[in-house]
Amino acid sequence: MTDTGQAREAREAQEAKEAREARELFGARFGGAPDGVWQAPGRANLMGEHTDYNDGYVLPFALGQGVAVAAARSADGRLALCSRQRPADGAEIALDGLAPGQVTGWAAYPAGVAWALRSGGYRVPGARIAVGSDVPEGAGLSSSAALECAVALALTDLAGLDVPRPELAGLARRAENDFVGVPSGIMDQSASLLCQPGHALLLDCRSLEASQIPFDPAQGGSRLLLINTRARHELTAGEYGRRRAECARAARLLGVPSLRYLTDDGETARLSDPVLRRRARHVVTDNARVLSVVALLRSAPGDAYPKIGALLTQAHMSLRDDFEVSWPEADVAVDAALHAGALGGRMIGGGFGGSVLALVPGGARDAVRAAVSGAFAGRSWTEPGFLEAAPSASARRL
Ligand code: GLA
């Protein structure tokens, strides 16, 4: 069987297992069978970091790993929640009168989705929801967006509502921003709801125009290796909000609605504050790198990978030196991967913890893993985790 065939079989088996486990959890906690099981994937981002909230471009792809929810409608107007990952932490929430601040912990994500849908005019019913996930948490792979999107799809399906996916992504983001209180952009929810297998999603975060870009590194003989550095990533920690504020200030000082409106990094020279200048330079150059990767994938998909690899490494340097959101384990993982033959690599997501994405020639995969593990062991760091990623499908009913 081909690599792709094997990967597909493995994915289908994993999906069946997730659905079965979610149903079992539902039965054990609530009794009976759910009305259905919905799955939404986590994401990795090929290029365009901290560009989404600057109205710029991002190029994420969906992972095979995701959050599965087994759900059934209930008539009592309440959301009953349980999670395989947090068996001690169930919740029951009345939907009428629900407001931000009333729910904390993981339950705030599903509750926030119900709240955002209702605030958006969608009368979603009460429901019993059992949640299971195989997205590593705190790894910067958007386990929270996956949870939001799985719940959003389940609740709207249960209500018989057909909400256009871009709108659903916006409502899931609203749950995260206004209910949970994390000031994230639109990338993660869009990736989870809009990506297609074998493609990356080019999203223009100003117009919200989405294009599917064929992206299949395996065909070019390369692999996408995600390295979980085990340094936990927490968006609520403040630095993310600080970067957003710095970008907004830089745009104001330059007299543009957002940094997206700058196309030449020379324009950032007008900023006298060196920190704001670096922040703006990252955003301008990363937007340009997204468009370069898209052009490479469109014109020469097979030969594109060495060039894309070089762009990934440039992006890492920009995130490390200009945007200052990298962390020691990510820098060491990127260096070790490059020395062992990776075509390129960079931190992904918000930063300060989480994962590195390395683009690796098929033949160098084991050497790269060994080099990164060795570099971590040499520093007495926790053993990193490895995940081979394949651009996968968006959220769906299983
Ligand atoms: C997090 C946010 C996204 C995006 C990235 C950085 O993942 O949720 O909206 O801003 O950080 O690119």
Side-chain angles (χ1 to χ4, degrees), residues 30-126:
F30 303 120
D35 295 337
V37 179
W38 291 260
Q39 195 262 17
R43 63 96 189 93
N45 185 17
L46 183 56
M47 195 61 83
E49 222 63 88
H50 289 272
T51 45
D52 59 355
Y53 58 79
N54 286 300
D55 287 346
Y57 299 104
V58 290
L59 192 60
F61 56 93
L63 300 177
Q65 289 69 20
V67 170
V69 302
R73 240 185 121 103
S74 57
D76 61 3
R78 300 171 78 78
L79 212 54
L81 301 164
C82 67
S83 149
R84 186 154 48 84
Q85 275 65 38
R86 292 196 175 70
D89 259 354
E92 251 203 75
I93 296 147
L95 293 181
D96 282 341
L98 183 62
Q102 290 175 357
V103 186
T104 53
W106 77 273
Y109 291 88
V113 169
W115 169 82
L117 283 163
R118 287 185 155 212
S119 314
Y122 294 110
R123 252 347 262 177
V124 291

Side-chain angles (χ1 to χ4, degrees), residues 182-349:
V182 175
S184 52
I186 190 68
M187 169 168 72
D188 305 341
Q189 293 80 7
S190 303
S192 191
L193 286 165
L194 300 175
C195 281
Q196 289 180 6
H199 290 76
L201 176 80
L202 170 63
L203 185 69
D204 177 334
C205 300
R206 182 169 67 185
S207 65
L208 293 184
E209 186 186 345
S211 321
Q212 302 292 338
I213 311 296
F215 175 50
D216 185 1
Q219 278 201 337
S222 302
R223 297 275 188 277
L224 291 163
L225 190 62
L226 283 169
I227 305 165
N228 179 353
T229 67
R230 308 282 187 202
R232 274 182 77 86
H233 151 91
E234 300 285 355
L235 271 193
T236 32
E239 286 296 336
Y240 184 89
R242 209 161 301 146
R243 291 300 179 284
R244 279 195 77 139
E246 287 167 345
C247 290
R249 187 140 47 90
R252 227 174 14 254
L253 288 168
L254 289 166
V256 286
S258 67
L259 291 178
R260 154 64 182 275
Y261 288 78
L262 306 181
T263 47
D264 177 350
D265 69 11
E267 294 171 76
T268 62
R270 287 194 285 122
L271 290 164
S272 57
D273 178 336
V275 172
L276 293 188
R277 200 156 62 222
R278 289 204 304 277
R279 303 294 188 253
R281 187 166 59 202
H282 165 74
V283 174
V284 176
T285 57
D286 230 35
N287 275 327
R289 278 186 287 270
V290 172
L291 298 180
S292 302
V293 171
V294 168
L296 284 164
L297 287 172
R298 279 187 168 143
S299 63
D303 309 329
Y305 291 100
K307 290 184 183 141
I308 292 176
L311 288 166
L312 285 176
T313 307
Q314 272 179 29
H316 185 74
M317 293 191 285
S318 176
L319 286 158
R320 185 191 63 195
D321 303 335
D322 280 349
F323 218 65
E324 295 178 280
V325 290
S326 188
W327 63 103
E329 290 86 344
D331 298 340
V332 165
V334 168
D335 279 353
L338 291 175
H339 274 110
L343 300 170
R346 71 172 185 88
M347 56 148 284
I348 59 168

